[in-house]
Amino acid sequence: MSDSRIQNAALRGKIMSADDAAAFVNPGDNVGVSGFTGSGHPKEVPQALARRIEAAAGRGETFRVGLLTGASTAPECDGVLFQVNGVAFRTPYQSDPDCRNRINAGEADYVDVHLSHVAQNAAWGHYGKLDVALIEITAILDDGRLVPSTAIGNNQTWLDLADRVILEVNAAQSARLEGMHDIYSVGLPPHRKPIPVSATADRVGEPYLRVDPKKVVAVVETNCLDRDTKFSEPDENSRRIAGHILDFLQHEVKKGRIPANLLPLQSGVGNVANAVMAGLNDGPYENLTAYTEVLQDGMLDMIRSGKLVCASATAVSFSAKALTDFNANIDEYRKRIILRPQEVSNHPEVIRRLGIISMNGMLEADIYGNVNSTHVLGSRMMNGLGGSGDFARNAYLSIFMTPSTAKGGALSCIVPMVAHVDHTEHDVQVLVTEHGLADLRGLAPRQRARRVIDKCADPRFRPALDDYLARAEKGANGKQTPHLLGEAFNWHLRALRGEPM
Amino acid sequence: MSDSRIQNAALRGKIMSADDAAAFVNPGDNVGVSGFTGSGHPKEVPQALARRIEAAAGRGETFRVGLLTGASTAPECDGVLFQVNGVAFRTPYQSDPDCRNRINAGEADYVDVHLSHVAQNAAWGHYGKLDVALIEITAILDDGRLVPSTAIGNNQTWLDLADRVILEVNAAQSARLEGMHDIYSVGLPPHRKPIPVSATADRVGEPYLRVDPKKVVAVVETNCLDRDTKFSEPDENSRRIAGHILDFLQHEVKKGRIPANLLPLQSGVGNVANAVMAGLNDGPYENLTAYTEVLQDGMLDMIRSGKLVCASATAVSFSAKALTDFNANIDEYRKRIILRPQEVSNHPEVIRRLGIISMNGMLEADIYGNVNSTHVLGSRMMNGLGGSGDFARNAYLSIFMTPSTAKGGALSCIVPMVAHVDHTEHDVQVLVTEHGLADLRGLAPRQRARRVIDKCADPRFRPALDDYLARAEKGANGKQTPHLLGEAFNWHLRALRGEPM
C-alpha cells in the first residue's frame, strides 16, 4: 500500500509513526490542519499530540498549541486536543462539544471569522507565525505533488506558510479522488488578478497540492474513514420550511427573475437544508448547479438523479452510506464535482459574479431582519459563522431559515432584537420559518417588521411582538427603526433565568 | 452654447423648460436621478417637480414619487422634494435635513442599502418598475452618446431601466470632463464575467453613457454649479486620529505587511478623513493610489502634489475653491482621475482583489468591535450606510474612526453594545479615536474588549466599561462574548432621557 500511495522516494524516507511525527510539534506552536466539516482532517497525529500534551501535564508542564483548520474537524482531531485542554487558540468554525465548552469557559481564545478570510489573514500574520502544517492527503506522486483528500480548506495555504510539514497519507480515502480537485491560488495584493471562474464547472488550477519537500518532516500512513456525518430525515417543520422556499423559487422563476434552472445553489448544513435539497430533487428543475462550501448527502442524491449537473465545494461530508456510494461511483462523480480551496469556494468575487442562491440556517432573527448565527442568548458560542457571511453578503438571493421556536416552543426564534448580529439587515433578503416566508427585498424597516411578524413568528408570540412594535413606534426611539432599548432583550433575559420567553 | 453641448439633432428637438419636462413625471412614479454626494444631480427639474407637487397639494391631490439616487444629492434635489413631502420612497444614502426628518417621522420609507447593491436590486425589481430617469450630463454627442457629469452613480442603470428619460445638460460643468469616465456594465447573472480591473488605473469600459433616444422625452438646459461641499480644516481630535492611523500604516510598512506605497486607499468623508489625507500628503509616501467612492479636496491636493498618481471613484465632491482648480486644470487631472459606475467603484470583486485600505467614520463602536454607522441611539437614521460596508467587508485593512465622545463629552462613542449593527465584529479590524488605535486583527472577543477599552475609550468612561466587562465575564452570560443584557443599553437609555451617559 505505502509503495503505491507514496511514490516519491525522498518522502518515502520520512515515513514514521504518528507518535514520532507528533514530536515535531512544540509547545506554543501554531498548527494548521486540514479538515472541513468532519472530512479530510488528520486522523492519527492529533491523537498522538494529545498524548504528548497529557504526558506533559503529568509532568506539570504546560503544552498548548494554536489550532487553525479549514472548518470543523472531528473527535479524533478537535475532540482529543480540547479534551486535554491542549489548544490555546482556535480559528475558524468548530462544532466539537469539548472545543465549544473550552471556548465558552474562556479557556481557549476563539476567533470566529468569515471562511474566505482565513487564508488571507494567516498569510498576513494575524494569527502569528505558522509553525506546523498537518495535512491529510490521498497520495504522493513520484515528483512530490500531493493528491488531496476529501477536503481542501486552507491546505495549500498551510503548506505554503508552515516551517514544518507533516503529511498523513490516508489509505481509506479513494485513490480515485485524483483529478477531482482544482487548486488555484488567489495570491495577495497588490498582485491579484481576476479569478477566472465564470461558471460552477470552470476548472482554473491544477488537481494537486504542492509542498517544498525540504519542509516535510514526517509522513504518516493512516487508514481511517472520515466521520460518519449522520443524515437525518427531515422532520415536519423542515419540510414546511423547504416547501415555502420551493414555492418562492418557483414564483421567482415564473416572474422571470431567475432562470428556469435557477442560479447556482449554496446550502448550509442540517435538517432544513436536507429538506430543501430533497424538494428540489423531486421538483420540476433540470440542469441545476451548486457553488457551495460543503457537499452533503442531499446534493449527492441530486447528482445521482441527474438534476444537479455540477457541484463546486471545498469539501464533501457524507454519511457512511453516501460515502460508500461516492467511493463506488467516484469516476462518474468526478465529472460533476469540483473541490476548491475555501478561499475560492467562498470568494466574494465568484459568489457575486455567479449570482448564488444562498440558504443558511440561523439561531434567531429580529423583526428588522438582523440575524444571529452564532451566539446563544448573545454570549455562548455555538459553532461559528462558517461561510454564511461570505455567501449571504454576496449572494443574488440570501435566505435564512429556522424553525420559529426552540426548546420545545418555549423560546421564539423571532425576537424584537437579536442579542448578537452576524448578518445585518442589509444582507438578509428572505427569512423563513415553518409558518411562512418573509420576502424583505426593497422594504424599509417598519415594513420589514410587519412582514417578519406576520409571516415568520409563531402565532403564540405574535401578540407580544405586535405590542413591542406598536409601543416602539410611539416611543422616544420610534424613528427609522423603532426600538424600546429598555426591554429589547427582555425575552433573552427571561430565557437566561430559565423562564419561557 | 446649446448647439455645442447638444449635437444630436433628434435630441435637440426635445429641448424644453424644466416645468414642461417635469410634466412627464406622474404621481406614484419611481424616478431614478443622478447625483452622488452633492455633485452631478439634476438641478432644475426636481424644483419644477416640487412646484407641481405643491400645486397638486393645493388642489387636495396626493402627488408623491419614489426617489432613487446614486447617494446624497443637494437642496435643489432631495431638499425641495422632501420639503413638499413629495417622496414616498427613498433609496440609498441621503444627507438632506428635510429628507432625514421625513424618514425618521415615518413619513417616507427609506431603504438603506450597500451602494454596490443598488443597481442590481433595481434591475431585479426590488424597488418596483423605474418610470423615469432624470440624469444630469455634460453634453450630448452627435451620435447620441452622453458625456457624463461629475458623478456617475447609477446613471447607466437608470437610463437602461426607465421607461422615460429626462436629461439635464448642465453648461456649468466643464466640457472637458469628456474622457474622464469609464462606463462598464457588470451585467446580471448568469451572464457575468470577471471585471478586468486589476489596478486602480485600469480603464475597462467607454467614457460615455448610452441611452435609447426613443426613450428621451425631454432635454433641459441648465447652468448651475454643484453644491459647494465645505472643506473644514481638521480640528485637534481629527489630527490626533489621523496621527494614530499614519503611525499604524508606517508600522505596517516597516513590518513588510504592505508595500511602501501602501495599497489603494478608500476614504469616507469628513473632518477625520481630511486630516488623514493631509497627513499622507505630508508623509514619506510616493506613488499612492486611491480606489474610493468619492473624491474630495484632500485627494485633489494629493494629486496636485504628485503623491497620488491615480484616483478611481464614482464622483467628485469639491469645495468651490477646489472645483475652480479642478476645472482650470482638468486636462491634467483627467490623466489621474477615473470616474466609474458605483457598482464598479464599490464592487466587492475589485475591492477584494486590489486589497484596499478602507477608512470610514462611524457613530459608535462597542467593546467587541461591532460598529454602528447609521442609527443614533439605535433608531434615528443619520445618513445611511453608503459604501462603508462594501469597502470594510472586502478591504485588506478595514479601519473605523470616531472621536471618543460626542455632545461635548457627554456621550461615549465606545459603548458596551452598539444599539444598531452595520458592521459586525467580523468586518472591523481596527478602531481609532483621538486616544489611540486598537488593532483587533486575530483577537478573540475578550481580548478585543480589553484592547478597545484601553486604547480607544475616553479615560472618563473607562472605569464604567471595565466594570461592565468584569461583571459580564462573571455573569450567566459570561461566555465567548460576555454581556449583561439587562444593562447593555443603559448608556443609550440615559442619553434618550437627556442625561449624560
Side-chain angles (χ1 to χ4, degrees):
Chain A
M1 182 277 291
S2 42
D3 279 2
S4 65
R5 290 280 179 133
I6 307 171
Q7 295 180 0
N8 180 274
L11 295 182
R12 231 177 8 236
K14 302 281 176 65
I15 293 174
M16 63 185 73
S17 72
D19 284 309
D20 287 346
F24 286 101
V25 181
N26 300 319
D29 275 357
N30 268 333
V31 184
V33 303
S34 59
F36 201 105
T37 48
S39 68
H41 53 280
K43 311 291 195 293
E44 294 205 359
V45 175
Q47 297 186 62
L49 178 60
R51 290 191 293 272
R52 278 195 76 195
I53 290 169
E54 209 163 22
R59 297 188 302 273
E61 297 165 15
T62 300
F63 191 150
R64 304 186 83 198
V65 298
L67 188 63
L68 298 82
T69 69
S72 55
T73 66
E76 67 264 34
C77 185
D78 269 307
V80 293
L81 290 168
F82 275 96
Q83 275 160 29
V84 298
N85 202 12
V87 182
F89 170 82
R90 174 71 167 77
T91 200
Y93 188 90
Q94 46 71 39
S95 68
D96 181 85
D98 290 294
C99 172
R100 184 185 297 131
N101 289 338
R102 297 281 184 194
I103 287 169
N104 284 308
E107 294 170 3
D109 293 321
Y110 173 56
V111 175
D112 190 22
V113 54
H114 300 297
L115 293 185
S116 77
H117 273 142
V118 179
Q120 167 175 304
N121 291 354
W124 208 9
H126 289 196
Y127 312 123
K129 191 162 84 71
L130 192 73
D131 302 287
V132 178
L134 170 53
I135 309 293
E136 175 177 288
I137 53 174
T138 298
I140 303 175
L141 301 189
D142 184 54
D143 62 6
R145 286 178 298 169
L146 312 176
V147 180
S149 174
T150 41
I152 300 288
N154 294 307
N155 290 356
Q156 187 60 62
T157 300
W158 301 157
L159 291 169
D160 291 342
L161 295 179
D163 287 343
R164 305 185 292 286
V165 172
I166 301 170
L167 300 172
E168 284 198 6
V169 184
N170 187 353
Q173 303 286 16
S174 169
R176 304 184 71 78
L177 279 164
E178 185 174 355
M180 188 176 282
H181 313 87
D182 188 61
I183 312 298
Y184 173 89
S185 170
V186 172
L188 291 173
H191 306 295
R192 288 180 178 155
K193 296 293 173 194
I195 302 171
V197 176
S198 294
T200 54
D202 287 349
R203 289 184 174 273
V204 298
E206 62 169 4
Y208 305 103
L209 297 164
R210 289 180 181 259
V211 64
D212 176 356
K214 292 193 294 294
K215 298 203 299 187
V216 178
V217 294
V219 176
V220 178
E221 294 175 291
T222 68
N223 193 337
C224 179
L225 287 173
D226 283 334
R227 181 183 75 188
D228 176 6
T229 301
K230 299 291 185 203
F231 184 83
S232 50
E233 283 303 312
D235 61 7
E236 180 59 24
N237 273 350
S238 301
R239 275 196 298 269
R240 284 191 190 162
I241 293 169
H244 296 310
I245 294 175
L246 294 165
D247 287 348
F248 173 72
L249 293 177
Q250 199 53 32
H251 176 259
E252 291 292 299
V253 170
K254 274 190 193 142
K255 287 271 186 185
R257 291 189 187 135
I258 50 178
N261 71 333
L262 306 182
L263 287 163
L265 305 167
Q266 177 263 328
S267 168
V269 301
N271 246 344
V272 178
N274 295 340
V276 174
M277 291 306 124
L280 287 169
N281 205 15
D282 293 339
Y285 304 102
E286 302 293 337
N287 297 313
L288 295 170
T289 63
Y291 196 85
T292 190
E293 125 192 335
V294 56
L295 198 67
Q296 295 196 282
D297 292 27
M299 284 197 181
L300 202 68
D301 290 343
M302 292 169 69
I303 295 175
R304 200 179 317 107
S305 75
K307 292 277 187 182
L308 188 63
V309 292
C310 178
S312 168
T314 192
V316 297
S317 180
F318 294 134
S319 68
K321 183 176 166 222
L323 182 60
T324 303
D325 167 57
F326 174 75
N327 283 331
N329 299 291
I330 196 163
D331 291 336
E332 285 306 308
Y333 285 124
R334 201 190 309 103
K335 299 174 191 166
R336 306 289 187 195
I337 296 172
I338 303 178
L339 298 183
R340 309 181 192 270
Q342 72 191 62
E343 195 174 15
V344 178
S345 67
N346 287 34
H347 203 290
E349 169 174 341
V350 183
I351 293 167
R352 185 77 77 110
R353 181 181 303 144
L354 298 185
I356 304 293
I357 296 173
S358 166
M359 295 173 282
N360 288 288
M362 60 178 173
L363 295 178
E364 59 178 4
D366 66 31
I367 55 176
Y368 297 110
N370 299 285
V371 163
N372 175 8
S373 298
T374 57
H375 283 69
V376 177
L377 298 174
S379 185
R380 190 164 72 85
M381 171 58 61
M382 183 61 87
N383 299 326
L385 191 64
S388 57
D390 293 322
F391 284 97
R393 174 58 165 282
N394 295 293
Y396 205 56
L397 190 56
S398 82
I399 300 171
F400 283 93
M401 50 212 189
T402 179
S404 66
T405 62
K407 301 275 180 195
L411 306 185
S412 177
C413 298
I414 305 296
V415 296
M417 181 185 265
V418 290
H420 182 89
V421 177
D422 291 296
H423 311 291
T424 75
E425 49 161 335
H426 313 290
D427 300 327
V428 178
Q429 295 180 334
V430 174
L431 292 178
V432 197
T433 70
E434 74 277 20
H435 297 296
L437 180 148
D439 178 1
L440 306 176
R441 295 175 295 175
L443 298 189
R446 290 158 189 247
Q447 298 169 311
R448 292 167 73 98
R450 192 67 265 142
R451 192 166 294 181
V452 170
I453 296 172
D454 291 346
K455 296 283 188 182
C456 296
D458 187 278
R460 291 179 303 114
F461 289 102
R462 279 182 207 170
L465 291 167
D466 283 339
D467 175 60
Y468 179 91
L469 181 60
R471 287 186 298 116
E473 286 183 319
K474 288 185 198 124
N477 239 354
K479 311 297 186 190
Q480 162 82 351
T481 302
H483 264 306
L484 300 168
L485 293 184
E487 56 181 276
F489 296 136
N490 276 4
W491 290 12
H492 297 86
L493 287 164
R494 281 200 287 275
L496 264 174
R497 292 193 299 265
E499 303 161 18
M501 275 185 169
Chain B
M1 181 277 289
S2 42
D3 280 0
S4 66
R5 290 280 179 132
I6 306 171
Q7 296 180 0
N8 180 274
L11 294 183
R12 230 178 8 236
K14 300 281 175 65
I15 294 174
M16 63 185 75
S17 72
D19 284 309
D20 287 346
F24 287 103
V25 181
N26 301 319
D29 274 357
N30 268 333
V31 183
V33 302
S34 59
F36 201 105
T37 49
S39 69
H41 51 281
K43 310 292 195 292
E44 295 205 359
V45 176
Q47 298 186 62
L49 178 59
R51 290 191 292 272
R52 277 195 76 194
I53 290 170
E54 210 164 21
R59 298 188 302 271
E61 297 165 13
T62 301
F63 190 150
R64 305 186 82 198
V65 299
L67 187 63
L68 297 83
T69 69
S72 55
T73 66
E76 66 264 34
C77 184
D78 268 307
V80 293
L81 290 169
F82 275 96
Q83 276 160 28
V84 298
N85 202 13
V87 182
F89 169 83
R90 175 69 165 80
T91 199
Y93 189 89
Q94 47 71 37
S95 69
D96 181 85
D98 290 294
C99 171
R100 185 185 297 130
N101 289 339
R102 297 280 184 195
I103 286 168
N104 285 308
E107 295 170 2
D109 292 321
Y110 173 55
V111 175
D112 190 21
V113 54
H114 301 296
L115 293 185
S116 77
H117 272 143
V118 179
Q120 167 176 303
N121 290 353
W124 208 10
H126 290 196
Y127 312 124
K129 190 163 82 71
L130 191 74
D131 302 287
V132 178
L134 169 53
I135 309 293
E136 174 178 287
I137 53 175
T138 299
I140 303 175
L141 301 189
D142 182 56
D143 62 6
R145 286 178 298 169
L146 312 176
V147 180
S149 173
T150 42
I152 300 290
N154 294 307
N155 290 356
Q156 187 60 63
T157 301
W158 301 160
L159 291 169
D160 291 342
L161 295 179
D163 287 343
R164 305 185 291 285
V165 172
I166 301 170
L167 300 172
E168 283 198 8
V169 184
N170 187 352
Q173 302 286 14
S174 170
R176 304 184 71 80
L177 279 164
E178 186 174 353
M180 188 176 281
H181 313 89
D182 188 61
I183 312 299
Y184 173 90
S185 170
V186 172
L188 292 173
H191 306 295
R192 287 181 178 156
K193 296 292 173 193
I195 301 170
V197 176
S198 293
T200 54
D202 288 349
R203 288 183 174 274
V204 298
E206 62 168 4
Y208 304 103
L209 297 163
R210 289 180 181 258
V211 63
D212 176 355
K214 292 194 295 293
K215 296 204 300 187
V216 179
V217 294
V219 177
V220 178
E221 295 175 289
T222 68
N223 193 337
C224 179
L225 287 173
D226 284 335
R227 181 183 75 187
D228 175 7
T229 301
K230 299 290 184 204
F231 184 82
S232 50
E233 284 303 312
D235 61 7
E236 181 57 26
N237 273 349
S238 300
R239 275 196 298 269
R240 284 191 191 163
I241 292 170
H244 297 309
I245 293 174
L246 294 165
D247 288 349
F248 173 73
L249 293 177
Q250 200 52 31
H251 176 260
E252 291 292 300
V253 170
K254 275 190 193 141
K255 287 272 185 185
R257 291 188 189 136
I258 50 178
N261 71 333
L262 307 181
L263 287 163
L265 304 168
Q266 178 264 329
S267 169
V269 301
N271 246 343
V272 178
N274 295 340
V276 174
M277 292 305 125
L280 287 169
N281 205 15
D282 294 338
Y285 304 103
E286 302 292 338
N287 297 314
L288 295 170
T289 62
Y291 196 86
T292 190
E293 131 191 329
V294 57
L295 198 67
Q296 296 197 283
D297 291 28
M299 284 197 180
L300 201 68
D301 289 344
M302 293 170 70
I303 294 175
R304 199 180 317 106
S305 75
K307 293 277 188 181
L308 188 62
V309 292
C310 178
S312 167
T314 193
V316 297
S317 179
F318 295 134
S319 68
K321 185 177 163 220
L323 182 60
T324 302
D325 167 57
F326 174 75
N327 283 330
N329 300 290
I330 195 163
D331 291 336
E332 284 306 308
Y333 286 125
R334 201 189 307 105
K335 299 173 189 164
R336 306 292 187 193
I337 296 173
I338 303 176
L339 299 183
R340 309 180 192 270
Q342 72 190 62
E343 194 174 17
V344 178
S345 67
N346 287 34
H347 202 289
E349 169 174 341
V350 183
I351 293 167
R352 183 77 77 108
R353 182 181 304 144
L354 298 184
I356 305 293
I357 296 174
S358 166
M359 296 173 281
N360 289 288
M362 60 179 173
L363 294 179
E364 61 178 3
D366 67 30
I367 55 177
Y368 297 110
N370 300 285
V371 163
N372 175 9
S373 299
T374 57
H375 282 71
V376 177
L377 298 174
S379 184
R380 191 165 72 84
M381 172 58 61
M382 182 62 86
N383 299 327
L385 190 64
S388 57
D390 293 322
F391 284 97
R393 172 58 163 282
N394 294 294
Y396 205 54
L397 190 56
S398 82
I399 300 172
F400 283 92
M401 51 214 188
T402 179
S404 67
T405 62
K407 301 274 179 195
L411 306 185
S412 177
C413 299
I414 306 296
V415 295
M417 180 185 265
V418 290
H420 182 88
V421 178
D422 291 296
H423 310 291
T424 76
E425 51 162 333
H426 313 291
D427 299 327
V428 177
Q429 296 179 334
V430 174
L431 291 178
V432 197
T433 69
E434 73 278 20
H435 296 295
L437 179 148
D439 178 2
L440 306 177
R441 294 174 297 175
L443 298 188
R446 290 158 187 247
Q447 298 169 311
R448 292 167 73 97
R450 192 68 265 141
R451 191 164 295 182
V452 170
I453 297 171
D454 291 347
K455 296 283 187 181
C456 296
D458 186 277
R460 292 179 301 116
F461 289 103
R462 280 182 207 169
L465 291 168
D466 283 339
D467 176 61
Y468 179 91
L469 180 60
R471 288 186 295 117
E473 286 182 320
K474 288 183 198 127
N477 239 356
K479 312 296 186 189
Q480 162 82 352
T481 301
H483 264 306
L484 299 167
L485 293 184
E487 56 181 274
F489 295 136
N490 276 4
W491 291 11
H492 297 85
L493 287 164
R494 281 200 288 274
L496 264 174
R497 293 192 299 265
E499 302 161 19
M501 275 184 170

